[in-house]
């Protein structure tokens, strides 16, 4: 369903939409760079619902079925990334602050006063911003495979960066699907490899639902521009869980360690063999620390 949040149209899926979960604590799930709400594994959503939570997912701005902001143009990502590494101001079409306001606007649209906020990768950065902007709205914060954004932290390995910045070999559906299969194999969890046919089917469904690479570029630029978040994390008030894969090739484990170090009282959970994805084996290891964290808040 569509809602109006922070002045734009946002696509939302809410397990409590029919009113059957009234009174349940809400969990707001925020997905990562270029990823749609359907990227949250059904087993993960079901695991939370089975534990008594109302689960809300949404497409971030510029992705999926949410409003696309093509009128803002496409930034020169190489140039803006170079400026970031040099400590210069990055010019972004919009900010991670605004994306956090989108997330809080989803809660407003659904009449949810407070929620547990769980984000992966870029979604973790948005979740951190939401906790800083409106701590009274955030029952707890969970940051998964994400980063504080501190400049000195390690980045992706060169072959991973090349895969991330590469483009499909053609415009047809098969070329797009093959491109993303290669990418997910590069960033995936070495201890929990995905079945290629299942991965292909998942990517095909996602591509047919929406394919909007220009939005991904704008989101990447927003991440690059969010330079001051690391120093602000000391002000995070909600109880925080940081989960990170020991074998993440895209956002290295040191990024999770740094996030947990900066947030007062944060708990860090390391998952051996986890990369930068959410395969079934990772979900099985993610829910046991996450559910008690949510229930304690």
């Amino acid at each position: 369903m569509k809602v109006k949040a922070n002045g734009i149209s946002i696509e939302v899926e809410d397990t409590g939409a029919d009113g059957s979960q009234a009174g349940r604590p809400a969990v707001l799930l925020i997905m990562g760079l270029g990823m749609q709400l359907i990227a949250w594994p059904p087993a993960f959503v079901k695991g939370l619902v089975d534990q008594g939570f109302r689960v809300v997912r949404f497409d971030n701005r510029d992705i999926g079925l949410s409003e696309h902001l093509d009128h803002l143009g496409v930034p020169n990502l190489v140039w803006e990334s170079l400026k970031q590494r040099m400590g210069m101001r990055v010019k972004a079409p919009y900010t991670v602050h605004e994306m956090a306001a989108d997330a809080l606007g989803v809660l407003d649209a659904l009449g949810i006063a407070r929620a547990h906020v769980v984000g992966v990768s870029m979604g973790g950065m948005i979740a951190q911003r939401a906790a800083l902007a409106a701590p009274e709205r955030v029952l707890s914060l969970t940051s998964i495979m994400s980063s504080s954004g501190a400049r000195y932290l390690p980045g992706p390995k060169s072959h991973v960066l090349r895969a991330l910045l590469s483009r499909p070999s053609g415009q047809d559906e098969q070329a797009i699907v093959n491109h993303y299969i290669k990418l997910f194999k590069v960033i995936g969890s070495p201890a929990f490899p995905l079945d290629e046919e299942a991965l292909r089917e998942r990517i095909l469904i996602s591509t047919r639902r929406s394919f909007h690479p220009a939005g991904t570029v704008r989101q990447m630029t927003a991440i690059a521009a969010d330079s001051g978040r690391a120093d602000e994390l000391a002000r995070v008030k909600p109880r925080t869980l940081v989960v990170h894969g020991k074998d993440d090739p895209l956002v290295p484990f040191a990024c999770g360690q740094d996030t947990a170090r900066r947030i007062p009282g944060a708990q860090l959970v390391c998952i051996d063999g986890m990369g930068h994805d959410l395969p079934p084996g990772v979900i099985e290891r993610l829910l046991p620390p996450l559910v008690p964290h949510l229930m304690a808040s």
Side-chain angles (χ1 to χ4, degrees):
M1 64 178 174
K2 290 283 196 306
V3 303
K4 204 73 172 179
N6 193 27
I8 63 176
S9 176
I10 299 289
E11 179 70 15
V12 174
E13 288 197 9
D14 175 12
T15 63
D18 61 359
S20 63
Q21 297 177 3
R24 287 188 173 200
V27 180
L28 181 68
L29 302 181
I30 309 178
M31 191 31 78
L33 174 70
M35 301 297 289
Q36 304 176 53
L37 65 82
I38 58 174
W40 289 103
F44 181 70
V45 175
K46 182 178 185 299
L48 294 175
V49 171
D50 288 349
Q51 291 296 324
F53 295 100
R54 172 184 177 182
V55 179
V56 177
R57 298 172 289 163
F58 67 100
D59 287 333
N60 284 308
R61 61 165 61 196
D62 238 355
I63 289 297
L65 304 183
S66 288
E67 188 169 334
H68 295 173
L69 304 176
D70 294 327
H71 64 282
L72 297 177
V74 181
N76 183 328
L77 186 59
V78 174
W79 172 236
E80 297 300 339
S81 297
L82 180 61
K83 287 164 63 177
Q84 178 201 30
R85 288 195 293 271
M86 295 172 64
M88 299 169 63
R89 181 177 176 273
V90 174
K91 184 178 180 181
Y94 47 77
T95 66
V96 176
H97 299 73
E98 290 173 283
M99 299 182 79
D102 296 347
L104 295 169
V106 168
L107 297 181
D108 292 337
L110 298 179
I112 298 172
R114 305 177 72 200
H116 300 280
V117 180
V118 179
V120 298
S121 197
M122 180 190 71
M125 303 171 195
I126 297 169
Q128 293 166 27
R129 277 288 173 207
L132 285 165
E136 73 283 358
R137 306 287 305 276
V138 179
L139 290 168
S140 72
L141 167 64
T142 303
S143 181
I144 304 169
M145 60 175 111
S146 192
S147 175
S148 69
R151 282 184 60 207
Y152 62 81
L153 290 170
K157 297 177 181 178
S158 59
H159 75 284
V160 176
L161 188 59
R162 285 196 300 272
L164 184 66
L165 297 178
S166 66
R167 297 181 179 181
S169 59
Q171 298 297 316
D172 60 289
E173 183 177 84
Q174 195 61 48
I176 293 169
V177 170
N178 287 340
H179 167 75
Y180 282 101
I181 287 175
K182 291 178 183 177
L183 175 60
F184 278 104
K185 283 185 174 181
V186 169
I187 67 174
S189 299
F192 311 101
L194 281 168
D195 176 76
E196 184 166 327
E197 284 308 308
L199 177 60
R200 181 177 294 275
E201 180 63 21
R202 193 182 80 186
I203 293 172
L204 185 60
I205 290 171
S206 177
T207 301
R208 288 177 175 174
R209 183 175 185 263
S210 177
F211 178 64
H212 191 56
T216 301
V217 175
R218 285 188 286 270
Q219 289 183 351
M220 290 179 77
T221 312
I223 293 171
D226 195 24
S227 59
R229 191 178 70 257
D231 292 335
E232 297 177 50
L233 291 181
R235 296 191 290 104
V236 170
K237 294 180 180 178
R239 292 180 65 257
T240 300
L241 173 67
V242 176
V243 182
H244 216 102
K246 195 67 178 291
D247 298 285
D248 192 328
L250 182 60
V251 182
F253 180 60
C255 298
Q257 290 178 303
D258 186 72
T259 302
R261 178 181 66 81
R262 290 175 181 272
I263 298 176
Q267 176 191 2
L268 174 64
V269 171
C270 164
I271 300 180
D272 289 328
M274 174 184 171
H276 203 78
D277 63 348
L278 295 171
V282 167
I283 296 302
E284 291 174 4
R285 288 156 179 79
L286 175 57
L287 286 170
L290 177 60
V291 170
H293 168 69
L294 300 179
M295 288 183 167
S297 303

